[in-house]
Amino acid sequence: MSNSNVAECPQEPIPEYAFIGRSNVGKSSLINMLTGQKHLAKTSGRPGKTQLINHFKINNNWFLVDLPGYGYARVSKKDKKTFQKYIRDYFDNRKQLITAFVLIDIRHRAQAVDLRFMEWLGTHQIPFAIIFTKADKLKPKAQGEHVSSYLKELLDGVWEELPPYFITSSAKQTGREEVLDYIEGINRQFYKNQ
Ligand code: GTP
Ligand code: MG
């Protein structure tokens, strides 16, 4: 189901996981990789492809949510405002949301827009995990170095504790099991406590 209004999103009380990050970071590609369906979420080299709140129901058991990207300079000011409103409304209102996966391009140093977003999640008490994307763009040694320095920047900033994190590549299908196992573990707990 695709919506521009959070009030019209599906109401089933099943656990929900949102994928969020800068436009073009690889959210839709990651969703396709996780679900094993190449064309489920629309992807594009042009930022701003995903423009709605997209719910995908997985195994009748949980929702995976693809959101529009935030903070990309090449998206028009008007679009940026609209996306920001969807995103804010979404996070302010979705009681079903268990965890937000914040996607970070593994090649980049910590960017203010991502750090601000994670802080905003923190102040709204929304649990999150980091997914580093596009790992195939770096050699294995550089992957480790980039991740360590990213995490160090978090600890040097406002965070006292690091969130769970995953290293993924949709191009090379890396990190799929790790992310799915993490979600499944939480779901198991969720249904046990019902
Ligand atoms: P918006 O919907 O515009 O916010 O973008 P998005 O975050 O959904 O990104 P999308 O999945 O559409 O991918 C953006 C671009 O990055 C596309 O050209 C993808 O092919 C490319 N891309 C995504 N994941 C990977 C990856 O793991 N490796 C490589 N090399 N390229 C990737
Ligand atoms: Mg997208």
Side-chain angles (χ1 to χ4, degrees), residues 21-30 42-50 66-69 133-137 168-172:
R22 278 153 63 87
S23 195
N24 220 38
V25 69
K27 297 177 295 298
S28 299
S29 302
L30 183 85
K42 294 199 181 83
T43 67
S44 162
R46 207 174 54 86
K49 183 68 187 171
T50 306
D66 190 14
L67 292 168
T133 63
K134 308 194 186 185
D136 59 286
K137 301 256 193 192
T168 69
S169 158
S170 304
K172 296 267 189 250

